[in-house]
């Protein structure tokens, strides 16, 4: 199983998609942390959201797992505390982390990470099995991720621009790093993995791009470069800037709002609360 290359850095993430750990009011209300909860955070990134949850666990603890060495280093430097710890772990194989799958966790949480982690169909069942093993009986798996139709304009445009530049459609699709399931798919997957599904919903949530920046790390351009990196990597490095420009040019009239020139990506969020039976 190949390791994801580490494209993440706190600076690039905050410039291109700083809203991701912030637009979490609903999923946090579903998590409803209790002061003594022991919570596992799957794909925790650089950890500000994990630390925010830790603040509501005065007698509990949270452990964040992520496959990005850069993010885990930042999380440990900036966001760890006595009840908030981080560990480098590819969450396609959570079972490698013995303390994570010991059946002692009250809740497993995840925000904006499972659509990356579940990309490879061959490792999906194991991800759900390991999360199930992590939880106490009756424990809750509470998450938000990209759902069916998420960022579909930008997704289709990157595919189309790659094809227009001589890449085969199958190569472009293969490089897509995301899996955006429907709530029907997710409900069935959770049920077959031993969970009782309390909620599984899709929300259409158009989301304003971050501010454009002179160095190209912000706005739509920054988003395409960071989130679409695996797809851009199918062309030679010296052509990637031009591909990003073509993608942004095509999207210009699709994502820009006439009233103020702001640009919005059509996020679709899939949120669920599932209980270990
Ligand atoms: C958009 S970020 C979300 C981070 C954080 N949860 C937040 O809300 O800001 C997606 C995260 O998924 C992580 N990720 C992607 N594939 C992963 C894998 N196989 N195992 C663990 N983490 C993974 C990335 O490293 C990144 O930190």
């Amino acid at each position: 199983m190949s390791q994801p290359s580490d494209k993440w850095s706190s600076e690039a993430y905050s410039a291109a998609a700083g809203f991701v750990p912030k637009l979490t009011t609903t999923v946090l209300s579903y998590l409803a942390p209790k002061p003594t909860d022991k919570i596992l955070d799957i794909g925790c990134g650089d950890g500000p959201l994990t630390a925010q949850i830790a603040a509501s666990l005065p007698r509990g603890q949270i452990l964040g797992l992520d496959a990005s060495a850069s993010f885990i280093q930042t999380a440990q430097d900036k966001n760890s505390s006595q009840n908030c710890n981080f560990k480098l772990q590819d969450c396609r194989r959570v079972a490698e982390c013995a303390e994570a799958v010991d059946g002692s966790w009250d809740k497993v949480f995840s925000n904006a990470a499972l659509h990356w982690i579940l990309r490879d169909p061959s490792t999906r069942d194991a991800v759900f099995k390991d999360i199930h093993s992590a939880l106490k009986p009756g424990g809750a798996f509470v998450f938000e991720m990209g759902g069916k139709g998420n960022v579909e304009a930008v997704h289709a445009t990157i595919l189309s621009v790659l094809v227009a530049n001589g890449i085969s459609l199958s190569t472009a699709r293969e490089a897509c790093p995301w899996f955006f399931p429907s709530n029907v798919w997710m409900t069935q997957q959770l049920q077959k993995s031993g969970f009782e599904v309390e909620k599984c919903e899709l929300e259409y949530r158009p989301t304003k791009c971050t501010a454009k920046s002179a160095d190209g790390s912000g706005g739509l351009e920054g988003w395409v470069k960071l989130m679409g990196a695996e797809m851009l990597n199918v062309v030679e490095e010296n052509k990637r800037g031009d591909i990003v420009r073509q993608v942004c040019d095509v999207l210009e009239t699709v994502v820009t709002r006439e009233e103020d020139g702001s640009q919005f990506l059509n996020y679709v969020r899939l949120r669920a609360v599932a209980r270990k039976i």
Side-chain angles (χ1 to χ4, degrees):
M1 191 190 303
S2 65
Q3 289 300 319
S5 62
D6 198 353
K7 63 179 181 173
W8 301 100
S9 77
S10 281
E11 296 72 27
Y13 186 44
S14 146
F19 48 79
V20 173
K22 296 182 183 146
L23 295 174
T24 48
T25 310
T26 307
V27 72
L28 288 178
S29 76
Y30 292 172
L31 183 68
K34 293 201 184 96
T36 56
D37 271 349
K38 210 181 148 192
I39 301 178
L40 193 61
D41 183 358
I42 300 288
C44 60
D46 51 353
L49 185 56
T50 322
Q52 184 186 330
I53 296 167
S56 50
L57 309 173
R59 296 186 302 287
Q61 59 165 287
I62 189 162
L63 172 64
L65 303 178
D66 199 281
S68 161
S70 159
F71 265 175
I72 287 296
Q73 189 61 56
T74 307
Q76 285 169 339
D77 292 346
K78 294 200 174 151
N79 290 313
S80 65
S81 64
Q82 163 270 325
N83 70 341
C84 183
N85 293 292
F86 297 96
K87 200 165 170 191
L88 185 63
Q89 178 62 51
D90 187 328
C91 291
R92 294 174 298 177
R93 301 184 299 270
V94 177
E96 287 175 353
C97 177
E99 66 179 309
V101 287
D102 63 0
S104 70
W105 300 84
D106 297 293
K107 290 166 185 166
V108 174
F109 174 75
S110 185
N111 181 55
L114 285 167
H115 50 270
W116 306 90
I117 295 166
L118 296 174
R119 168 66 180 89
D120 178 353
S122 72
T123 54
R124 284 178 197 156
D125 284 347
V127 173
F128 289 89
K129 179 174 171 285
D130 291 349
I131 289 170
H132 190 270
S133 302
L135 286 164
K136 286 177 180 167
F141 179 24
V142 180
F143 62 89
E144 177 168 319
M145 63 184 288
K148 197 75 196 164
N150 192 45
V151 295
E152 64 184 4
V154 65
H155 184 174
T157 304
I158 298 173
L159 289 175
S160 306
V161 166
L162 288 173
V163 169
N165 283 270
I167 304 297
S168 73
L169 181 55
S170 58
T171 300
R173 278 188 178 141
E174 186 59 31
C176 172
W178 313 305
F179 172 56
F180 298 132
S182 70
N183 52 339
V184 173
W185 185 94
M186 184 56 77
T187 299
Q188 289 170 350
Q189 178 68 39
L190 287 164
Q191 286 169 339
K192 83 168 188 185
S193 308
F195 291 94
E196 184 177 46
V197 180
E198 291 184 2
K199 284 183 210 294
C200 189
E201 62 198 21
L202 285 175
E203 181 196 5
Y204 172 61
R205 194 199 67 196
T207 303
K208 191 176 181 176
C209 292
T210 57
K212 287 183 188 169
S213 59
D215 67 358
S217 64
L220 176 61
E221 179 184 359
W223 193 101
V224 171
K225 282 187 197 158
L226 179 65
M227 302 298 186
E230 288 85 348
M231 295 167 88
L232 301 174
N233 286 351
V234 302
V235 299
E236 290 124 67
E237 196 170 355
N238 63 356
K239 294 190 181 148
R240 287 178 205 155
D242 190 42
I243 299 284
V244 172
R245 188 189 50 72
Q246 291 177 44
V247 169
C248 293
D249 284 351
V250 171
L251 284 167
E252 178 74 27
T253 51
V254 176
V255 303
T256 307
R257 297 197 173 189
E258 284 70 15
E259 61 272 22
D260 60 3
S262 59
Q263 295 192 314
F264 277 68
L265 293 179
N266 288 341
Y267 272 67
V268 176
R269 307 323 282 168
L270 172 59
R271 253 181 245 116
V273 177
R275 210 159 282 283
K276 175 171 177 171
I277 300 172

